[in-house]
Amino acid sequence: MLTFVNVIWGARCGKTARRVLLGETRTRGHAYSVRRRRESACDRKAPHRLKSSRLVSTNPFDLWVNVWRQKGAQGEVIVVRYADDIVLGFQYLTDADRFRENLAERLRKFGLELHPDKTRRIEFGRFAEPNRKKRGEGKPETFDYLGLTHISGKDRNGNFSLKRKTIAKRMRAKLQEIKQELRRRMHDPVEQTGKWLKSVMQGYFNYHAVPGNLGRLKVFHRRVQRLWRWALRRRGQPHRPSWARILRLTERWLPKPRVLHPYPGVRFAASHPR
């Protein structure tokens, strides 16, 4: 069994279908140029620390879905792929269902099939919440992609806005990893451990510090602080460190959580001026 598609993101999304996942809020042609640049298969290269062999099985998918999009789609179609993790967006529900059937049929020709637990169709986007409300259904479903949970939300003005938060399971796993390493470094000099924690947390923030995720970053910061306090209090010293000392160490070594990335529309406008 081979997983080509982790999530099929579908249902009616209106004119914003091509831009929702990219977070793009500018003009239609601008978003299209960004999408084509990202989806270009001729200059495809393996991402950092990723073997090129992982791209071999997905390049034929790029070619096939591009043909399907041109010949079989009635509305807008967007494809976002990183290695073998793929999200597809459709303007119309009928396109999403037909694509899933056609893809499953094509994979069967090669003795492959879609993973039943990782392939799903959800309603997402600008019109998802009002449409579901009319049908008496709950809030739109969320999906996880590249370490972030994507949520169909609203901004302060009540307009549609794509919300992204760190996947809770991934954050727990990272904290458990830090706890085990702190246990191993328990008797190292405090300065040495502080430098290591600073490096780890800064690397974590550099990836996850996207707009809307500040709350999760603050939780991560507080839990790392408590883990460090736990490790220092288990060193067997006659006088356990007080909270005042923990706060001083936190202020010196642990980076403060703050948003490091702009909204995608701002970054795209800087890279691709009109």
Side-chain angles (χ1 to χ4, degrees), residues 188-195 228 232 235 245 249 253:
D188 290 354
V190 175
E191 182 178 354
Q192 183 177 336
T193 303
K195 290 180 179 179
W228 197 9
L232 291 175
R235 289 159 62 101
R245 186 190 177 197
L249 293 175
W253 296 112

Side-chain angles (χ1 to χ4, degrees), residues 18-270:
R18 69 164 70 244
R19 291 174 282 175
V20 167
L21 287 178
L22 296 178
E24 178 58 66
T25 58
R26 296 182 66 85
T27 64
R28 175 176 178 177
H30 181 77
Y32 181 75
S33 66
V34 174
R35 186 195 66 187
R36 291 200 61 181
R37 175 64 180 174
R38 287 192 165 192
E39 296 176 0
S40 177
C42 61
D43 59 351
R44 183 85 65 195
K45 295 181 180 179
H48 180 56
R49 293 185 179 179
L50 188 65
K51 296 181 179 179
S52 299
S53 58
R54 291 190 66 190
L55 296 177
V56 175
S57 62
T58 51
N59 278 335
F61 171 83
D62 292 346
L63 300 176
W64 178 81
V65 73
N66 189 48
V67 174
W68 189 95
R69 176 167 48 190
Q70 295 176 359
K71 296 183 178 181
Q74 300 298 321
E76 299 289 347
V77 180
I78 180 173
V79 181
V80 180
R81 180 173 73 80
Y82 181 88
D84 57 349
D85 292 328
I86 306 168
V87 178
L88 299 104
F90 300 86
Q91 181 178 357
Y92 300 120
L93 176 61
T94 53
D95 282 348
D97 291 337
R98 186 168 60 254
F99 177 87
R100 183 169 183 171
E101 294 176 0
N102 295 158
L103 179 59
E105 180 181 355
R106 179 169 179 80
L107 291 179
R108 281 195 294 269
K109 296 180 180 179
F110 301 93
L112 304 173
E113 60 181 350
L114 294 173
H115 196 294
D117 298 329
K118 295 184 178 181
T119 304
R120 62 192 178 115
R121 172 179 57 77
I122 67 174
E123 188 173 16
F124 195 92
R126 178 182 175 186
F127 300 113
E129 184 174 354
N131 287 346
R132 293 175 65 87
K133 187 175 182 180
K134 291 179 181 178
R135 299 194 299 264
E137 299 175 355
K139 294 182 179 181
E141 297 181 59
T142 64
F143 66 92
D144 297 336
Y145 187 62
L146 299 183
L148 297 171
T149 298
H150 293 68
I151 305 169
S152 182
K154 294 181 179 180
D155 59 16
R156 296 179 179 178
N157 298 324
N159 300 320
F160 170 78
S161 177
L162 176 65
K163 303 295 184 180
R164 293 170 292 174
K165 294 184 178 181
T166 305
I167 299 176
K169 181 173 63 175
R170 297 253 182 120
M171 187 172 73
R172 288 194 297 269
K174 185 63 177 180
L175 290 170
Q176 185 64 27
E177 178 184 333
I178 292 175
K179 181 178 181 179
Q180 296 300 327
E181 185 64 19
L182 284 173
R183 182 190 295 270
R184 192 182 69 83
R185 294 171 174 263
M186 184 178 300
H187 300 289
D188 290 354
V190 175
E191 182 178 354
Q192 183 177 336
T193 303
K195 290 180 179 179
W196 173 77
L197 278 175
K198 180 179 180 180
S199 176
V200 170
M201 292 189 65
Q202 190 61 58
Y204 187 88
F205 288 165
N206 286 345
Y207 183 85
H208 293 91
V210 298
N213 197 31
L214 186 59
R216 289 284 173 90
L217 298 182
K218 291 181 178 179
V219 171
F220 183 81
H221 182 274
R222 288 197 300 268
R223 293 186 179 178
V224 171
Q225 180 189 49
R226 292 176 182 176
L227 290 175
W228 197 9
R229 175 176 178 264
W230 167 84
L232 291 175
R233 290 174 66 89
R234 291 176 62 90
R235 289 159 62 101
Q237 297 176 351
H239 301 287
R240 292 185 176 184
S242 62
W243 262 113
R245 186 190 177 197
I246 297 299
L247 292 176
R248 289 196 298 269
L249 293 175
T250 300
E251 185 70 22
R252 180 179 181 184
W253 296 112
L254 302 189
K256 294 182 179 181
R258 60 189 182 90
V259 176
L260 301 177
H261 301 286
Y263 283 93
V266 177
R267 182 169 59 251
F268 293 161

